[in-house]
Structures are given as structure tokens and as C-alpha cells.
Amino acid sequence: MSVHDLEKHFQDKIDQETKIEPLDWMPEAYRKTNIRQISQHAHSEIVGMLPEGNWISRAPSLKRKAILLAKVQDEAGHGLYLYSACETLGITREETINDLHSGRAKYSSIFNYPTLTWADIGAVGWLVDGAAIMNQVMLTRTSYGPYARAMVRICKEESFHQRQGFESLLVLSKGSPEQKAMCQDAINRWWWPALMMFGPRDTESTNSDQSMKWKIKRKTNDELRQQFVDMCVEQVKLLGMTLPDPHLKWNTDRNHYDFGEIDWNEFWQVVKGNGPCNKERLQARKQAWEEGAWVREAAAAHATKKQKRAAAYAA
Amino acid sequence: MPATLDYILHLADNALILGQRNAEWCGHGPVLEQDIAISNISLDLIGQARSFYQYAAEIKGGDATEDTLAYLRHEREFRNILLVEQPKGDWAYTTLRQFFFSTFQLLLFQRLITHPDERIAAIAEKSIKEVNYHVRWSSEWVVRLGDGTEESRARLQQAVDDSWPFVNELFQVENFEIESAVQVNELQKVWTEKIQACFTEAGMEIPETAGARSGGKKGIHSEHLGYILAEMQYLQRSYPGCEW
């Protein structure tokens, strides 16, 4: 088949909702886009362990400590599935991780914000996991098979995390005046960064058109963001708290909530590396990797020796 | 005869403090699979601690809960051994300490399952499966590091030198243990044999001198415990009487 025929055959499969599998022919740009997106997603899971891990030692009860530790451990598991999905596209986990450490690969900017109080852990669960789920539910139907299947597992756990986060805020919202204030403050700080998680406006998004055609993405950034706003406006009422946006208002024509403008200058600053914790997050990941080098080398050396001894014994 | 409050707290404190220490690795492990493994062990230990504290709270009565026992007791009231409160160190220290502790815990729990106090027996029974895994996981790391590279071997040797002084305390019988169904001093011989077997495979040697550091069971701790508690208890102490 000529390249033209291969491309047509490929697009036909996508149009007919047949998943693309690792051994199928695919355009190089499709492979690259998936590598970029899946690895970015994997890195986000791993870097995302840091702001939440920040509160494990200080969790206010044994139950909360166990829930948080299990949650952060789940994120590591998600990272593993995603690095594996990425490997099916012909790039090793080590290469992918090197790209993170060199700054070539990105991760979700949301994790460059600090978790300052205990309420932030609830707010991250509710808003950050909530925003992530919008995107991830869509990705369970993405065209690349291994990615879609990884997302099915991840979505189940993420929606559990989101409920846990909300429940933890609910307890604070019914607590002492200090706890209520802590809860509102966390929502105020996490709301806008959570909205930024959906990326630039559709008119500004460079990767969107082709990704929609290939069904890597199935909804636009603005569609997902709107869905998220509509959901949160209702949920925040249950907390008896408010969202920090004076422009939030039900629009009967659109059947959606109108909302205020995101501070795009802040968005781009954080993307470019100038957020509150960009340096610390990357530094923590690099440090863990470098300090673990001797451990990985020892494990590899032992495995080789063991293999040789077994071979010698068999001979 | 039911177990005494101090004895249950001792079992709970050991598990909680080591769980707290191991959790420091979460997000910072040498490789993702092992990050998950050590966090898992930490979760198991916190789970064991909760079971023991919940039982202790029932015995203590009044307003006591698992959280008042974990979060509102002071340094001198904690009954954990010194080994578990030492800083996590490097991967060699963490895995070796786990091996020493889990091997001890397995021997202890294998006896506690016949304890006349049924609650203690039930917690031990439930935990044994987990502890078996902790022993296997940590002993595999000891072998890997001992047999691996020159550096890993040197680091493991350092970990042996650093942790050995704390080992003897595992087997020193404290007042609250005298009436327990299990005498920990009787476990030392089997424990040493198990460590020896693993060390032989790892090409390591057990130090000849016995460890001299103890006091944790009496509430005389190293300076590290104060910091662990300050961090762990900070919210409960800053906002007394709140639900979380």
C-alpha cells in the first residue's frame, strides 16, 4: 500500500471507531502526539504525588493519613500504567523520564501550586481530580487502544478520589469557624488554577484540530471547562461555600453558567516555569531519581549475577 | 487474661512510627514500583496501628479514640522501640531496618495468634499475611544490595553498623510484657538464625557486639521522636477538639 492508502485506511478505522493498536500502521505525527500526551499525563501523575504527599506526615487523623497515603500511591500506579502505555509506542520509560528531567516534556501546571493547609488536600481532590476526570472520561474513548484502556482503570480510581476530597471538605465545612475559613480559602486558591487545567481557549489551542480528527481528543478545551464549571457551581452549594468568581451566572440562552475570564498571563507564566513551585517539583523528582541510581544499578547487577549463576549451575 | 493497655500501646506505637517513617518515601522512591511497595508497607503498618489503638481506646474508655491515643500523647508516653523512630536514611537503611523489624514482628505475631486475649490474637492473625510479605520484600532487598555493586554493599554495611545498636531492644522484656503470653527474649535465637540465613545469601556478616541502645519501651526516646510527633500531631494540637 502507498502511504496515501495507509493514511486513508488509518483514518477510516478511526472514523469507524476501531481502536488503533501498537502494531498497526500509524502516521508518525499520530505516534508523536500520543507519546507527548501520554507521557505528559504519566509525568503529571508522578509530579502530582508531591503536593499531596506534602501532607501525609501531617494528616489530622489516622483515617485521613491512610486515605491520603493510599491515594498518592494510586497516583504512582496510574503513572505506571501510563508509562507502560507509552512504551507500546516505542519509547522506554527511562527516555520518557529523562525528557521530564531535562524540561523537554511537560506535566500538568496545576502541580506547580503549593498545598498550604490541610484543606488544600480536600480542594485538590474535589477540584483538581474533578477537572482531571472531565478530561479522562473523554479519554476512555480515545482512539489509541492502550491509552483508552489505561484510562478506564484510572477513571474508576479518580472518581473515588474526587468523592473522598469532597467528603473531606464537607467535614471542614461543618466544623469550627477556623475549619470553615480554611475550607473557603483553599477553594479560593484552587478554583482558577483548576479552570486553567483545561488548557488555552479553543481559538488559541495549537494541538486541537488534528487531535480531534484523529479522535485522540473528543471534546474541546472550552467544552470540557464549561462542563466542569456547571458541575462545580452545584456542588459548592452543598458545602455552603462560594466560588471566587463574581461573574458566575446562569445563562438561560446557553443553558450553561457564564463565568469570568481566566488570568491567561498567570497561566502562561506557570507553563513557562515561573509558577510558585515549578523549580521545587522538578528538583524533587530529579533528586529522587539521582539518589535512586545506585539502587537501580545494584538491582540490575544482582539480577545479572543471579542469571549467570543459574546458567553456570545448569551447565 | 486480657493484654494490658501499655502492651497494646507498645504494639501500636511500633507500627505507627515505622509507618510514619516509611511514608516519607512516598513520591521519592528510587523507582516507581518500589515507591509503591514501601508506601504499601507503610499503609499496612498504619492499618495495624489503628487496630491496636482502637482496642486500646476501648480498654482505656472515656473519650479515648484511636486518634487521641496517636495524636495527644507526649514523647515520654510513647512505648515504641528506638529502631523504628530512627530517620529513614538511604534505601539500604530503610530496607534493612524493615527486615529486622518485620522478621521480629512475624515471630511475635505467630505467637500472639494464640494469645488468650482474643482481640490481640485476631489482630495478629489478620496482620500475619502482610508481615510475611514485608519479610520477603525486605529480605530480597538485603540480598540484592549485598550482592549487587560495591557501592550497594558498602551502603548496606553502613546500614548494618548504624542499625545494629538498636536491635537488642527488640528482645528486652519490659514490665508490661512480663504478663504477656509471649516473652520476647525467647524470640532472639530464632530471629538471629533468620537474619543469619539472609546475611549468608547476601554475603554479609552479623556484628559480634550486642547492641547497647534501648529505652524506647520505657518512654526514654532518641531526639528524633519529638520531631516525628511535632509534625504528626500538629493539626490536632493546633485545633483541639475538631472533627477531620
Side-chain angles (χ1 to χ4, degrees):
Chain A
M1 266 198 273
S2 71
V3 171
H4 176 76
D5 291 341
L6 286 166
E7 275 177 3
K8 184 175 179 312
H9 180 64
F10 173 80
Q11 189 63 49
D12 285 348
K13 267 166 77 176
I14 286 182
D15 294 342
Q16 289 156 21
E17 301 291 336
T18 306
K19 293 278 179 254
I20 305 300
E21 295 300 334
L23 298 178
D24 295 349
W25 185 90
M26 61 187 85
E28 200 44 34
Y30 177 85
R31 181 188 304 276
K32 281 203 173 125
T33 303
N34 266 296
I35 287 178
R36 180 177 57 78
Q37 193 172 325
I38 302 171
S39 68
Q40 185 171 324
H41 195 160
H43 300 327
S44 301
E45 297 283 357
I46 302 310
V47 177
M49 295 169 74
L50 300 169
E52 295 184 275
N54 183 37
W55 280 89
I56 293 171
S57 67
R58 293 176 291 170
S61 70
L62 294 177
K63 182 182 129 192
R64 293 288 173 206
K65 189 189 289 292
I67 289 174
L68 182 58
L69 184 52
K71 183 193 169 181
V72 180
Q73 193 195 23
D74 280 348
E75 314 289 356
H78 298 171
L80 263 187
Y81 309 154
L82 289 164
Y83 283 125
S84 304
C86 210
E87 284 186 314
T88 65
L89 290 160
I91 183 166
T92 64
R93 199 203 302 183
E94 193 149 18
E95 288 173 283
T96 324
I97 288 174
N98 285 339
D99 284 347
L100 169 70
H101 294 171
S102 71
R104 223 181 353 259
K106 298 272 179 236
Y107 55 88
S108 179
S109 276
I110 192 77
F111 301 119
N112 292 317
Y113 288 86
T115 48
L116 299 179
T117 72
W118 169 251
D120 288 33
I121 296 305
V124 167
W126 176 43
L127 295 173
V128 175
D129 291 336
I133 290 166
M134 293 285 154
N135 202 28
Q136 288 167 351
V137 166
M138 167 189 80
L139 288 172
T140 60
R141 299 191 301 125
T142 191
S143 57
Y144 187 56
Y147 192 21
R149 289 188 289 274
M151 289 324 299
V152 172
R153 290 179 69 176
I154 291 173
C155 271
K156 282 187 193 149
E157 293 180 354
E158 288 291 1
S159 52
F160 184 59
H161 295 163
Q162 196 211 5
R163 281 203 301 278
Q164 284 174 333
F166 188 80
E167 190 265 335
S168 145
L169 289 183
L170 198 58
V171 172
L172 295 180
S173 75
K174 292 177 178 160
S176 68
E178 285 106 327
Q179 285 177 305
K180 286 180 183 163
M182 194 188 274
C183 180
Q184 182 63 61
D185 169 62
I187 293 170
N188 292 348
R189 281 181 291 107
W190 286 95
W191 174 248
W192 290 106
L195 289 192
M196 294 177 198
M197 286 174 70
F198 297 96
R201 284 168 169 276
D202 294 347
T203 47
E204 313 277 324
S205 179
T206 47
N207 299 312
S208 263
D209 287 349
Q210 185 63 59
S211 287
M212 293 286 279
K213 188 173 167 232
W214 279 336
K215 295 186 184 172
I216 296 174
K217 281 176 78 155
R218 311 190 65 130
K219 283 183 181 176
T220 70
N221 295 354
D222 285 334
E223 281 170 351
L224 289 166
R225 186 161 24 231
Q226 181 70 59
Q227 210 181 326
F228 179 68
V229 170
D230 291 348
M231 181 186 82
C232 290
V233 175
E234 295 307 319
Q235 291 178 343
V236 80
K237 292 176 190 163
L238 300 172
L239 294 173
M241 299 281 148
T242 56
L243 296 172
D245 180 357
H247 300 288
L248 270 175
K249 197 173 166 238
W250 180 251
N251 182 324
T252 42
D253 296 336
R254 296 198 308 122
N255 260 326
H256 286 296
Y257 280 94
D258 289 336
F259 54 98
E261 190 62 46
I262 286 170
D263 180 349
W264 294 109
N265 180 45
E266 178 181 326
F267 173 84
W268 289 113
Q269 281 298 323
V270 183
V271 170
K272 284 176 187 150
N274 302 320
C277 301
N278 295 58
K279 286 198 176 65
E280 289 91 331
R281 299 294 185 238
L282 205 53
Q283 182 55 34
R285 283 314 313 156
K286 280 201 239 181
Q287 194 180 334
W289 188 249
E290 283 159 15
E291 287 177 359
W294 71 269
V295 180
R296 296 190 299 274
E297 284 159 18
H302 169 67
T304 311
K305 285 184 193 175
K306 210 171 144 186
Q307 219 168 22
K308 278 189 187 156
R309 284 194 291 260
Y313 183 73
Chain B
M1 185 171 45
T4 62
L5 182 61
D6 273 346
Y7 185 58
I8 305 168
L9 287 174
H10 159 68
L11 296 173
D13 293 344
N14 272 350
L16 176 62
I17 300 301
L18 187 54
Q20 178 83 357
R21 273 295 186 220
N22 285 341
E24 292 173 28
W25 282 104
C26 185
H28 306 276
V31 66
L32 213 39
E33 287 83 348
Q34 299 305 324
D35 201 306
I36 294 173
I38 190 74
S39 303
N40 212 25
I41 291 173
S42 174
L43 264 176
D44 287 344
L45 289 166
I46 292 167
Q48 289 170 16
R50 292 186 67 191
S51 300
F52 285 125
Y53 284 130
Q54 283 161 10
Y55 182 35
E58 286 173 33
I59 290 180
K60 192 155 193 272
D63 295 334
T65 66
E66 55 170 358
D67 289 327
T68 63
L69 293 172
Y71 287 85
L72 299 176
R73 282 184 306 138
H74 292 282
E75 293 89 329
R76 296 276 282 103
E77 297 170 275
F78 269 71
R79 291 285 173 265
N80 60 278
I81 51 172
L82 299 180
L83 179 69
V84 296
E85 71 197 38
Q86 300 310 304
K88 78 183 200 307
D90 63 7
W91 192 249
Y93 191 90
T94 285
T95 53
L96 181 72
R97 178 206 358 227
Q98 194 65 48
F99 177 54
F100 286 165
F101 180 77
S102 297
T103 304
F104 169 77
Q105 216 189 22
L106 185 60
L107 293 170
L108 179 65
F109 284 6
Q110 281 167 345
R111 284 164 181 74
L112 288 182
I113 53 177
T114 56
H115 198 285
D117 185 327
E118 284 174 14
R119 285 289 289 279
I120 294 290
I123 298 170
E125 173 124 44
K126 186 169 161 271
S127 308
I128 273 188
K129 215 174 124 187
E130 296 165 0
V131 181
N132 254 314
Y133 164 73
H134 304 167
V135 171
R136 197 172 73 226
W137 177 86
S138 58
S139 64
E140 282 170 6
W141 270 108
V142 171
V143 171
R144 223 171 261 142
L145 297 181
D147 184 54
T149 60
E150 248 177 70
E151 181 177 6
S152 68
R153 191 182 170 73
R155 283 176 181 268
L156 184 62
Q157 185 59 55
Q158 188 63 51
V160 172
D161 296 346
D162 291 344
S163 57
W164 195 255
F166 298 101
V167 159
N168 216 36
E169 191 187 8
L170 291 165
F171 309 103
Q172 286 173 2
V173 182
E174 193 45 53
N175 282 340
F176 54 73
E177 289 172 302
I178 290 173
E179 289 181 8
S180 162
V182 182
Q183 297 303 306
V184 283
N185 54 340
E186 292 168 7
L187 305 178
Q188 187 154 20
K189 189 168 168 287
V190 192
W191 183 87
T192 311
E193 285 164 12
K194 302 241 178 233
I195 302 305
Q196 183 61 63
C198 173
F199 270 31
T200 303
E201 204 184 335
M204 304 297 290
E205 278 174 27
I206 288 185
E208 285 171 14
T209 51
R213 301 284 305 276
S214 66
K217 290 184 190 181
K218 290 186 204 299
I220 308 288
H221 290 275
S222 59
E223 289 177 345
H224 302 296
L225 185 70
Y227 289 94
I228 295 177
L229 298 186
E231 195 172 330
M232 187 176 79
Q233 299 179 337
Y234 127 81
L235 276 169
Q236 288 274 355
R237 299 233 183 243
S238 304
Y239 304 95
C242 287
E243 289 288 314
W244 299 92

